[in-house]
């Protein structure tokens, strides 16, 4: 699954992939794979990201 909104949210917050990866406790390369859809994002990390960006998991998943 591709998550185009992740990059938009991150850039709107003026954050780097490295900063968001640190928030999630993962390597920047793993986070990059999430943004590009090369790797599925675990649900618990989607929740952390939604809370961090003050949005919903549905929005991140492109359901809204």
């Amino acid at each position: 699954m591709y998550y185009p909104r992740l990059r938009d949210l991150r850039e709107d917050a003026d954050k780097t992939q490295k900063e968001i990866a640190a928030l999630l406790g993962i390597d920047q390369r793993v986070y990059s794979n999430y943004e590009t859809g090369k790797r599925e994002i675990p649900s618990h990390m989607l929740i952390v990201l939604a809370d961090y960006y003050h949005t919903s998991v549905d929005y991140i998943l492109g359901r809204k």
Side-chain angles (χ1 to χ4, degrees), residues 8-28:
D8 293 340
L9 287 166
R10 177 179 56 78
E11 289 177 346
D12 288 348
D14 293 321
K15 298 295 181 184
T16 64
Q17 285 186 347
K18 189 173 182 177
E19 290 172 314
I20 300 303
L23 169 77
L24 297 172
I26 58 175
D27 188 82
Q28 179 271 328

Side-chain angles (χ1 to χ4, degrees), residues 2-15 17 20 31 34-36 53 60:
Y2 176 56
Y3 305 95
R5 290 183 174 165
L6 273 185
R7 182 177 179 175
D8 293 340
L9 287 166
R10 177 179 56 78
E11 289 177 346
D12 288 348
D14 293 321
K15 298 295 181 184
Q17 285 186 347
I20 300 303
Y31 180 78
Y34 292 158
E35 276 193 10
T36 60
Y53 292 123
I60 293 172

